[in-house]
Amino acid sequence: MIIMRSNASEEQIASVVHEVEINGLRAHISRGEERTVIGAIGDGRPVNKDPFLYLAGVDRVVPITRPFKLASREFSPENSTFPLDGVKIGGDEVVIIAGPCSVESREQILETAYAVAEAGAHALRGGAFKPRTSPYSFQGMGEEGLELLAEARQATGLPIITEVIAPDQVALVASYADVLQIGARNMQNYSLLHAAGASMHPVLLKRGMSATVEELLMAAEYILSHGNRRVILCERGIRTFETSTRNTTDINAIPVLKSLTHLPVILDPSHSIGNWEFVTAIARAGIAAGADGLIIEVHPNPSEALSDGGQSLKPERFADLVNQVQQIARAIGRSVAPANHKQTGPVQL
Amino acid sequence: MIIMRSNASEEQIASVVHEVEINGLRAHISRGEERTVIGAIGDGRPVNKDPFLYLAGVDRVVPITRPFKLASREFSPENSTFPLDGVKIGGDEVVIIAGPCSVESREQILETAYAVAEAGAHALRGGAFKPRTSPYSFQGMGEEGLELLAEARQATGLPIITEVIAPDQVALVASYADVLQIGARNMQNYSLLHAAGASMHPVLLKRGMSATVEELLMAAEYILSHGNRRVILCERGIRTFETSTRNTTDINAIPVLKSLTHLPVILDPSHSIGNWEFVTAIARAGIAAGADGLIIEVHPNPSEALSDGGQSLKPERFADLVNQVQQIARAIGRSVAPANHKQTGPVQL
Amino acid sequence: MIIMRSNASEEQIASVVHEVEINGLRAHISRGEERTVIGAIGDGRPVNKDPFLYLAGVDRVVPITRPFKLASREFSPENSTFPLDGVKIGGDEVVIIAGPCSVESREQILETAYAVAEAGAHALRGGAFKPRTSPYSFQGMGEEGLELLAEARQATGLPIITEVIAPDQVALVASYADVLQIGARNMQNYSLLHAAGASMHPVLLKRGMSATVEELLMAAEYILSHGNRRVILCERGIRTFETSTRNTTDINAIPVLKSLTHLPVILDPSHSIGNWEFVTAIARAGIAAGADGLIIEVHPNPSEALSDGGQSLKPERFADLVNQVQQIARAIGRSVAPANHKQTGPVQL
Amino acid sequence: MIIMRSNASEEQIASVVHEVEINGLRAHISRGEERTVIGAIGDGRPVNKDPFLYLAGVDRVVPITRPFKLASREFSPENSTFPLDGVKIGGDEVVIIAGPCSVESREQILETAYAVAEAGAHALRGGAFKPRTSPYSFQGMGEEGLELLAEARQATGLPIITEVIAPDQVALVASYADVLQIGARNMQNYSLLHAAGASMHPVLLKRGMSATVEELLMAAEYILSHGNRRVILCERGIRTFETSTRNTTDINAIPVLKSLTHLPVILDPSHSIGNWEFVTAIARAGIAAGADGLIIEVHPNPSEALSDGGQSLKPERFADLVNQVQQIARAIGRSVAPANHKQTGPVQL
């Protein structure tokens, strides 16, 4: 990885690419907002970095042994952070995203948004486009759902996270959402990863249900390679033989990811255990293991939810979860970020 | 499922939909080339079929208890078949698709196409758009690859099967390919399934590496629900704890699928075991278990393949595989379909 | 389940058994130290409990719907606890067991025992009989190892936990050890479970690497059915497709087990993640999820350990783990039990 | 591995062991019926074999790179075979073992024995000691079951295969059975493996439900290291996320095992798919993949079986399976071994 100075010219970049190629390597250019990074990709054999060190415009050269490059700790030993409406993602403070599985109605999303804001959530989740196993299941409210999310943001000040399931939807969803979610089923949908990367919008990338930790990082690499550095990784349970829970929370993945990558890592205990009774225990475990945040399903009336009711918390239980997580965060020298959304007056439901 | 007569009018369809809705159910209309099928979707409680039986234009009413409907044996007790360039897919005869993982050059694809045609293959596979774990790996030749496949078809008469990885590529790929392949990583990429379904082009749908048999059938249902009935299911190995092979061939899935669905079921032994040495043994096992066909990776020079060389057979080994599979097919009262592609003269490589 | 009064006579027991049998059920008698429990086993159909309620000597009748009976919360809504050398297992306080994978020498086990006692451990683990994948690997020191463990107990006051791998070894191991460990590979070694149950010695039962939560509870049921109620369950990681860690810690199993059973549940983070760097994070997560204790591999010189060195902590890191776990325990309203072993003077190493 | 001549003296063996030890290696002596093999076990670094080549009594020296030694193809490039009552196990001919899961009554086992003998089976299986998940399930008839098996052998001439579940049972079971079966749950019950190895009785070793191929071979190594060379390996399905079948048949394991080891490899389709409807298809697949035999559950009245009824074939379906397997065997140049048991007259049921 050849990291260019922030003021490097196109000419300087071109001459580095030229040098890469005459060394028998392939150049992969990733243009970030601040600086350009040039990957020199070979066949795995060690490469002498001297020829690149003294070229004009080069800041530094970092040899990277992992198959993921821009995502690796070798590339960036410091944790990556970015602000989301005043909350810092990936920093010392723990961030909590909450909301219903699906946006179902104006009343439902506003009621939930107020409740989770009140309880201390930092962002609102809610699906407008739903990837469902069956074509006959509720597929989400579509753009109408996005509009309701925008209204909920305006009402509560909470930034919005919502899923995008097709490359040609990215622009539409990005026009409403603060963070694009890429779901577990689409973790290796590379055209979607490319589109989300190119959008330069923040992305929450969920681990596929049978993806290895390395494959998750390789998927992030697709987004990062567009120069889009605002990527949040999310463990959401893997598929195993165990049938007493919906998935098996891979709690090991939290410290392993934190050692391999500089990207923020959060946990989705709702999907990873799949039963509301146990969500709080697993949320605590995730923060104790070092996660930078949580994403939690909350529904005002879980038994009537159109999807995933069984794993959704009622607002009062969610408030209790936030309190418990706060205790755990303090026990390891962190804390839950203060709720900093602008408290607007109540809207009419 | 309410199956309309082939000559049912729009008015008759509308009146059935109306009847569905006044019974408190949701109507799902699937317009096939021959006839329209209307699904009456409820909450799982038994529905009286009498009100529908005597409506004008209704052919028959089939109650379906499985979550997959159009894919189920209950919907169509007979095996579904369709012709592909003179070979019948899903019939008594076993069909063999072969070719390289990726199209790499004109010489490579033509040489492979001639070799597999000569050995008895019925269709040519080859990837032009490749979904790769790493963004730095070879991503396929793109449209140029499609053109080379078309040339190979013209030269050998073999129909072409190639992967499509994004919904907005479907039209392009369908303009070259005889069959669209949806790969394992995209089995639950629902926007792609919808696009492939709407194209009315034949689709080869590979099982996701951690998808259950039921989820595979639900994915097929997305395609079928567009009235596109030409869907081939492909077992390609699942992800387990075993590390001595690339994946674990779920041979059980072959007879289980054949009992649950009327769709053709084939096996990809190359990906499911991942080592050329063992591909022939697993190909034999697949046919012995009741598969309707095979898809095999063949490369003229596996050690120089840009992807999946370790699991690719050389042409002469592939010819031996065809012979062995023929013996197994005969042992169970089937046979490998005769090679019926038009033998054109050799082209200049 | 028919629970007899503690002073029920043999005659009263016999008459209950008779009543069970004339109701077409099979009687399973489990004689505990305090009282006898009679299981009335049928074919799953509901049984009227009235005929049993008024028989002499019957305390109460508990209908149990789970396949595990004596292990179920229905049988005993309160947590089961038992004292181990002054520490209460299964109570509000968290218990920590520590020591090397294998006893390797007098010096090694004494040095480790002193160090873990000093750091706050409540019991010493160490294998004398080792179940090893290869017959050519170090198989443990055998009885000599047991003698060294006894010496370490005398020196430090720590009770001893060590593995037993054959039914005919139970008496020997029980003559040295305070708790018998049954390892993951033997979780369904029913002759060993019977022998451990009959010994009436406390048992630490590790979950098999591909055992479901229900199968773990059924294995415990074998021990409990001998009237031996002192059983500790231990989650130690399950086998999945993920290869970046030795096993996948099934953190979900902690709250799920706590809801299904009254037995104490502990976590072995050393085996479940298999890399010392991450053991402390997973230990924290286990306590945060509700585990009643931990079992941790500690070795004075991990790089020279004869087994499992890569996942063993040095004593100073273990002391840090105890401190961190204490913080987490307090965050959820529990605490690590005080070290109450008798501090004897140093022995000569 | 240092393979001694068959007439090597104790003195010669001792001098080889001495030479091993002065080379800094550990000697592992395995005394077979024909010859003694001395393993020289080091730390994995290459060892010069010259010092051993010219010692008296040494036949040859085979360097073995696999963790399993005596089980490896490197140790014995030729397939191992052994006779079982006139049928050759591991040879060109396919061998079929059949019978009920459990011996339930004299009538049941005799009726089944006659039926499977008539249909062409070469050995009779039937459990007398059953390892059951629940202590409340039928645990087998014990020694009475062994006596009934012996009577069935006398009546039909079929050799007997039955499970042994504890080391101290080995002598008893071996006094009745021709082959000792070690079940999946006990594959890593090392005290049982040692006892079975020391008995010098043939052993059928089933793969654990989450054991890798390598672990299966390491378990076999425990038996082989006693000089007991008559070991049959059995694939019986592994545990995966798929729930439409009881287990996932690892068909890949058949050719992989055949390439790694010289031991006979058979398949148990009954347990590996767990549904009688599909047993014949998977049996065909196993033979097509190269298995040396099958073990099939057959019960005269599956719906009344005390265990595993759902996966048991009726005798007439088993006869059809034998015919179908014969066709597959011939298709790959093998055949089902002729039934050579002595046809005795019928006994009174």
Side-chain angles (χ1 to χ4, degrees):
Chain A
M1 284 282 156
I2 299 147
I3 299 155
M4 303 300 292
R5 291 178 203 279
S6 54
N7 59 358
S9 68
E10 282 303 308
E11 213 167 277
Q12 289 169 339
I13 291 171
S15 91
V16 169
V17 168
H18 180 69
E19 184 67 25
V20 165
E21 289 167 350
I22 65 177
N23 277 271
L25 304 166
R26 203 149 46 83
H28 183 277
I29 304 175
S30 157
R31 293 172 195 277
E33 280 173 3
E34 282 177 38
R35 55 176 74 212
T36 293
V37 172
I38 300 166
I41 301 161
D43 53 8
R45 277 178 299 183
V47 173
N48 180 5
K49 65 183 186 177
D50 289 352
F52 306 100
L53 273 176
Y54 306 109
L55 293 179
V58 169
D59 182 2
R60 58 204 159 91
V61 177
V62 183
I64 298 189
T65 56
R66 302 278 182 183
F68 40 93
K69 309 294 179 192
L70 300 163
S72 75
R73 276 261 176 229
E74 291 167 315
F75 175 69
S76 168
E78 296 301 305
N79 285 339
S80 285
T81 66
F82 65 89
L84 183 65
D85 244 23
V87 176
K88 193 189 200 179
I89 306 287
D92 285 343
E93 290 177 338
V94 165
V95 173
I96 302 177
I97 303 160
C101 180
S102 303
V103 181
E104 295 168 6
S105 69
R106 181 169 178 271
E107 190 172 358
Q108 173 246 20
I109 192 64
L110 286 174
E111 184 179 343
T112 310
Y114 278 114
V116 301
E118 177 73 22
H122 309 98
L124 178 67
R125 62 154 288 160
F129 297 96
K130 300 296 304 172
R132 300 302 299 277
T133 304
S134 168
Y136 310 122
S137 300
F138 174 60
Q139 308 272 316
M141 294 180 75
E143 188 164 0
E144 191 186 343
L146 297 176
E147 284 164 7
L148 294 175
L149 285 167
E151 187 178 348
R153 174 175 49 202
Q154 198 160 11
T156 62
L158 292 176
I160 297 299
I161 297 182
T162 196
E163 184 161 358
V164 56
I165 61 178
D168 59 9
Q169 267 174 5
V170 166
L172 173 71
V173 177
S175 73
Y176 288 94
D178 299 280
V179 180
L180 303 173
Q181 179 180 317
I182 294 185
R185 291 177 178 84
N186 282 312
M187 193 201 85
Q188 292 188 315
N189 179 342
Y190 297 120
S191 58
L192 181 58
L193 295 174
H194 275 304
S199 76
M200 300 306 280
H201 226 65
V203 178
L204 173 66
L205 176 64
K206 293 189 125 185
R207 181 179 180 185
M209 70 183 79
S210 69
T212 62
V213 160
E214 185 174 307
E215 287 168 345
L216 171 60
L217 291 167
M218 296 306 288
E221 196 79 10
Y222 269 87
I223 301 167
L224 296 167
S225 72
H226 287 270
N228 184 348
R229 302 292 154 84
R230 294 184 294 174
V231 177
I232 308 167
L233 303 177
C234 181
E235 163 64 28
R236 47 76 72 203
I238 59 173
R239 194 163 257 191
T240 71
F241 63 83
E242 177 58 64
T243 53
S244 69
T245 50
R246 181 172 176 182
N247 291 294
T248 295
T249 309
D250 185 4
I251 195 80
N252 291 356
I254 305 287
V256 169
L257 279 167
K258 292 299 294 178
S259 81
L260 292 175
T261 184
H262 52 87
L263 296 171
V265 176
I266 72 171
L267 175 66
D268 175 348
S270 307
H271 282 85
S272 72
I273 193 161
N275 182 335
W276 67 266
E277 276 187 80
F278 306 125
V279 165
T280 301
I282 299 305
R284 292 192 312 251
I287 298 305
D292 299 311
L294 298 166
I295 180 165
I296 309 283
E297 289 198 345
V298 178
H299 194 284
N301 199 345
S303 63
E304 293 181 11
L306 295 181
S307 55
D308 284 350
Q311 69 196 33
S312 296
L313 294 181
K314 290 185 184 176
E316 56 272 27
R317 288 188 192 278
F318 172 67
D320 179 51
L321 176 149
V322 175
N323 285 336
Q324 293 194 35
V325 164
Q326 178 65 280
Q327 301 309 313
I328 296 288
R330 286 185 178 147
I332 58 167
R334 304 177 79 167
S335 66
V336 172
N340 78 335
H341 48 278
K342 44 188 174 299
Q343 279 297 17
T344 61
V347 296
Q348 189 188 346
L349 295 184
Chain B
M1 284 283 156
I2 300 147
I3 300 155
M4 304 300 291
R5 291 178 204 279
S6 53
N7 59 357
S9 69
E10 282 304 306
E11 213 167 278
Q12 289 169 338
I13 291 171
S15 91
V16 170
V17 168
H18 180 69
E19 184 67 26
V20 166
E21 289 168 351
I22 65 176
N23 277 271
L25 304 167
R26 204 149 45 83
H28 183 278
I29 304 175
S30 158
R31 292 172 195 277
E33 281 173 2
E34 281 177 38
R35 56 176 73 212
T36 292
V37 172
I38 300 166
I41 301 161
D43 53 8
R45 277 177 299 184
V47 173
N48 180 5
K49 64 183 186 178
D50 288 353
F52 306 101
L53 274 175
Y54 307 108
L55 292 180
V58 169
D59 182 1
R60 58 202 159 93
V61 178
V62 183
I64 298 190
T65 57
R66 302 278 183 184
F68 39 93
K69 310 293 179 193
L70 299 163
S72 75
R73 276 262 176 227
E74 290 168 314
F75 176 68
S76 169
E78 296 300 305
N79 286 338
S80 285
T81 66
F82 64 89
L84 183 65
D85 243 24
V87 176
K88 193 189 200 178
I89 307 288
D92 285 343
E93 290 176 339
V94 164
V95 173
I96 301 177
I97 303 160
C101 180
S102 304
V103 180
E104 295 168 7
S105 69
R106 181 169 179 272
E107 190 173 359
Q108 173 245 21
I109 193 65
L110 285 174
E111 183 179 343
T112 310
Y114 277 114
V116 302
E118 176 72 22
H122 309 97
L124 177 68
R125 60 154 289 159
F129 297 97
K130 299 297 304 172
R132 300 301 300 276
T133 304
S134 168
Y136 310 123
S137 300
F138 174 60
Q139 308 273 316
M141 293 180 75
E143 189 165 359
E144 192 187 343
L146 296 176
E147 284 164 7
L148 293 176
L149 285 167
E151 186 178 348
R153 173 175 49 202
Q154 199 161 12
T156 62
L158 292 177
I160 298 298
I161 297 182
T162 195
E163 185 161 358
V164 56
I165 60 178
D168 59 9
Q169 268 174 6
V170 166
L172 173 70
V173 177
S175 73
Y176 289 94
D178 299 280
V179 179
L180 303 174
Q181 179 179 318
I182 294 185
R185 291 176 177 85
N186 284 311
M187 192 202 84
Q188 292 189 314
N189 179 342
Y190 297 119
S191 57
L192 182 58
L193 294 174
H194 275 305
S199 76
M200 301 307 280
H201 226 67
V203 178
L204 173 66
L205 176 64
K206 293 188 125 185
R207 181 180 180 184
M209 70 182 79
S210 70
T212 61
V213 160
E214 185 174 307
E215 287 169 344
L216 171 59
L217 291 167
M218 296 307 288
E221 196 78 10
Y222 270 86
I223 301 168
L224 295 167
S225 71
H226 286 270
N228 184 348
R229 302 292 153 84
R230 294 184 293 173
V231 177
I232 307 166
L233 303 177
C234 181
E235 161 65 28
R236 48 75 73 204
I238 59 173
R239 193 162 259 192
T240 71
F241 64 83
E242 177 59 63
T243 52
S244 69
T245 50
R246 181 173 177 182
N247 291 293
T248 295
T249 310
D250 184 5
I251 195 80
N252 290 357
I254 306 288
V256 170
L257 280 167
K258 291 299 293 179
S259 81
L260 292 175
T261 185
H262 52 86
L263 296 171
V265 176
I266 71 170
L267 175 67
D268 174 348
S270 306
H271 282 85
S272 72
I273 194 161
N275 182 335
W276 67 266
E277 275 187 82
F278 306 125
V279 165
T280 301
I282 299 305
R284 291 192 312 250
I287 299 306
D292 298 310
L294 298 166
I295 179 165
I296 308 283
E297 290 198 345
V298 178
H299 195 284
N301 199 344
S303 63
E304 292 181 11
L306 295 181
S307 55
D308 285 350
Q311 69 195 33
S312 296
L313 294 180
K314 292 185 184 175
E316 56 272 26
R317 289 187 192 278
F318 171 68
D320 178 51
L321 177 149
V322 175
N323 285 335
Q324 292 194 35
V325 164
Q326 178 65 281
Q327 301 310 312
I328 296 288
R330 286 185 178 146
I332 58 168
R334 303 178 79 167
S335 65
V336 173
N340 77 336
H341 49 277
K342 44 190 173 298
Q343 278 297 16
T344 60
V347 297
Q348 189 188 346
L349 294 185
Chain C
M1 285 280 156
I2 299 147
I3 298 156
M4 304 301 291
R5 291 178 204 280
S6 54
N7 60 357
S9 67
E10 282 304 305
E11 213 166 279
Q12 289 170 338
I13 291 171
S15 90
V16 170
V17 168
H18 180 70
E19 185 67 28
V20 166
E21 289 168 350
I22 65 177
N23 276 271
L25 305 166
R26 204 148 45 82
H28 184 277
I29 304 175
S30 157
R31 291 171 196 277
E33 280 171 4
E34 282 176 39
R35 56 176 74 214
T36 293
V37 173
I38 300 166
I41 302 160
D43 54 7
R45 277 177 299 184
V47 173
N48 180 4
K49 66 183 182 176
D50 290 351
F52 304 101
L53 273 176
Y54 306 108
L55 290 181
V58 168
D59 183 2
R60 57 204 160 93
V61 177
V62 184
I64 298 188
T65 55
R66 304 277 183 182
F68 40 94
K69 308 295 177 190
L70 299 164
S72 76
R73 277 262 176 228
E74 291 167 315
F75 175 69
S76 168
E78 296 301 304
N79 285 339
S80 285
T81 66
F82 64 88
L84 184 65
D85 243 23
V87 176
K88 195 187 197 179
I89 307 289
D92 285 344
E93 290 177 337
V94 165
V95 173
I96 302 178
I97 304 161
C101 180
S102 304
V103 181
E104 294 169 6
S105 68
R106 181 168 178 271
E107 190 172 358
Q108 174 245 20
I109 193 66
L110 285 174
E111 184 179 343
T112 311
Y114 277 114
V116 302
E118 178 73 22
H122 308 97
L124 178 67
R125 62 154 289 158
F129 296 96
K130 300 296 304 172
R132 301 301 300 278
T133 305
S134 167
Y136 311 123
S137 300
F138 174 60
Q139 306 273 316
M141 293 181 76
E143 190 165 357
E144 192 187 343
L146 296 177
E147 283 164 8
L148 294 175
L149 286 167
E151 186 179 348
R153 173 174 50 201
Q154 199 162 10
T156 61
L158 292 176
I160 297 301
I161 297 181
T162 196
E163 184 162 359
V164 56
I165 60 178
D168 59 9
Q169 266 175 5
V170 166
L172 173 72
V173 176
S175 73
Y176 288 95
D178 299 280
V179 179
L180 303 174
Q181 179 180 318
I182 293 184
R185 291 177 177 85
N186 283 310
M187 193 202 83
Q188 293 188 316
N189 179 342
Y190 298 119
S191 57
L192 182 58
L193 295 174
H194 275 305
S199 77
M200 301 306 281
H201 226 67
V203 178
L204 174 66
L205 177 64
K206 294 188 124 185
R207 181 180 181 185
M209 70 182 79
S210 71
T212 62
V213 161
E214 184 174 308
E215 287 168 343
L216 172 59
L217 291 167
M218 295 306 287
E221 195 79 9
Y222 270 86
I223 301 168
L224 296 167
S225 72
H226 287 271
N228 184 348
R229 302 292 153 81
R230 295 184 293 174
V231 177
I232 307 166
L233 303 177
C234 181
E235 163 64 30
R236 48 75 73 203
I238 58 173
R239 194 163 258 190
T240 71
F241 63 83
E242 177 60 65
T243 53
S244 69
T245 50
R246 180 172 176 183
N247 290 292
T248 295
T249 308
D250 184 3
I251 195 80
N252 291 357
I254 305 287
V256 170
L257 280 168
K258 292 299 294 178
S259 82
L260 292 175
T261 185
H262 53 87
L263 296 172
V265 176
I266 71 170
L267 176 66
D268 175 347
S270 306
H271 282 86
S272 72
I273 194 161
N275 182 335
W276 67 266
E277 276 188 81
F278 306 126
V279 165
T280 301
I282 299 306
R284 291 192 312 250
I287 299 304
D292 298 309
L294 298 166
I295 180 166
I296 308 283
E297 289 199 344
V298 178
H299 195 284
N301 200 345
S303 64
E304 292 181 10
L306 296 181
S307 54
D308 283 351
Q311 69 196 33
S312 296
L313 294 181
K314 290 185 185 175
E316 55 271 26
R317 288 187 192 279
F318 172 67
D320 179 51
L321 175 149
V322 175
N323 286 335
Q324 293 194 35
V325 164
Q326 179 66 278
Q327 301 309 312
I328 296 288
R330 286 187 178 144
I332 58 168
R334 302 177 81 169
S335 66
V336 172
N340 76 337
H341 49 277
K342 43 189 172 298
Q343 277 297 17
T344 60
V347 298
Q348 190 189 343
L349 293 183
Chain D
M1 286 280 156
I2 299 147
I3 298 156
M4 304 299 292
R5 291 179 203 279
S6 54
N7 59 358
S9 68
E10 282 303 306
E11 212 167 279
Q12 289 169 339
I13 291 171
S15 90
V16 170
V17 168
H18 180 70
E19 185 66 27
V20 166
E21 289 168 351
I22 65 178
N23 277 272
L25 304 166
R26 202 148 47 81
H28 183 278
I29 304 175
S30 158
R31 291 172 197 277
E33 280 172 3
E34 281 177 39
R35 56 176 75 212
T36 293
V37 173
I38 299 166
I41 302 159
D43 54 6
R45 277 178 298 185
V47 173
N48 180 5
K49 66 182 182 177
D50 289 352
F52 305 100
L53 274 176
Y54 306 108
L55 291 180
V58 169
D59 182 3
R60 58 206 161 91
V61 177
V62 184
I64 299 188
T65 56
R66 302 279 183 181
F68 39 94
K69 309 294 177 189
L70 299 163
S72 76
R73 276 262 177 229
E74 290 167 316
F75 176 69
S76 168
E78 296 300 305
N79 286 338
S80 285
T81 66
F82 64 88
L84 184 65
D85 243 24
V87 177
K88 195 187 198 180
I89 307 288
D92 285 343
E93 290 176 338
V94 165
V95 172
I96 302 178
I97 303 162
C101 180
S102 304
V103 180
E104 295 169 6
S105 69
R106 181 168 179 271
E107 191 172 357
Q108 173 245 21
I109 192 66
L110 285 174
E111 184 179 342
T112 311
Y114 278 114
V116 302
E118 178 73 22
H122 309 97
L124 177 68
R125 62 154 288 158
F129 297 97
K130 299 296 304 172
R132 300 301 299 278
T133 304
S134 167
Y136 311 122
S137 300
F138 174 59
Q139 307 273 316
M141 293 180 76
E143 189 165 358
E144 192 188 343
L146 297 177
E147 282 164 9
L148 294 175
L149 287 166
E151 187 179 347
R153 173 175 49 203
Q154 200 162 9
T156 61
L158 292 176
I160 298 299
I161 297 182
T162 196
E163 184 161 358
V164 56
I165 61 178
D168 59 9
Q169 265 174 8
V170 166
L172 174 71
V173 177
S175 73
Y176 289 94
D178 299 281
V179 179
L180 303 174
Q181 179 179 319
I182 294 184
R185 291 177 177 85
N186 283 311
M187 193 202 84
Q188 292 189 316
N189 179 342
Y190 298 119
S191 57
L192 182 58
L193 294 174
H194 275 305
S199 76
M200 301 306 281
H201 226 66
V203 178
L204 173 66
L205 177 64
K206 293 188 124 184
R207 181 179 180 185
M209 69 183 80
S210 70
T212 62
V213 161
E214 185 174 306
E215 288 168 344
L216 172 59
L217 291 167
M218 296 306 287
E221 196 78 9
Y222 269 86
I223 301 168
L224 296 167
S225 72
H226 287 271
N228 185 348
R229 301 294 154 80
R230 294 183 294 173
V231 177
I232 306 167
L233 303 176
C234 181
E235 162 65 28
R236 48 76 71 202
I238 58 173
R239 194 163 258 191
T240 71
F241 64 83
E242 177 59 64
T243 53
S244 69
T245 50
R246 180 172 177 184
N247 291 292
T248 296
T249 308
D250 184 3
I251 195 81
N252 290 357
I254 305 286
V256 170
L257 279 168
K258 292 299 294 178
S259 81
L260 292 175
T261 184
H262 53 87
L263 296 171
V265 176
I266 71 170
L267 175 66
D268 175 347
S270 306
H271 282 86
S272 72
I273 194 161
N275 183 335
W276 67 266
E277 276 187 81
F278 306 125
V279 165
T280 301
I282 299 306
R284 291 192 312 251
I287 298 305
D292 298 310
L294 299 166
I295 180 166
I296 309 283
E297 290 199 344
V298 177
H299 194 284
N301 199 345
S303 64
E304 293 181 10
L306 295 181
S307 56
D308 284 351
Q311 69 196 33
S312 295
L313 294 181
K314 290 184 186 175
E316 56 271 26
R317 288 187 191 278
F318 171 68
D320 178 51
L321 176 149
V322 174
N323 286 336
Q324 293 194 34
V325 164
Q326 178 67 279
Q327 301 308 313
I328 295 288
R330 286 187 178 144
I332 58 169
R334 301 177 81 168
S335 67
V336 173
N340 77 335
H341 49 277
K342 43 189 173 298
Q343 277 297 15
T344 60
V347 296
Q348 191 190 343
L349 293 184

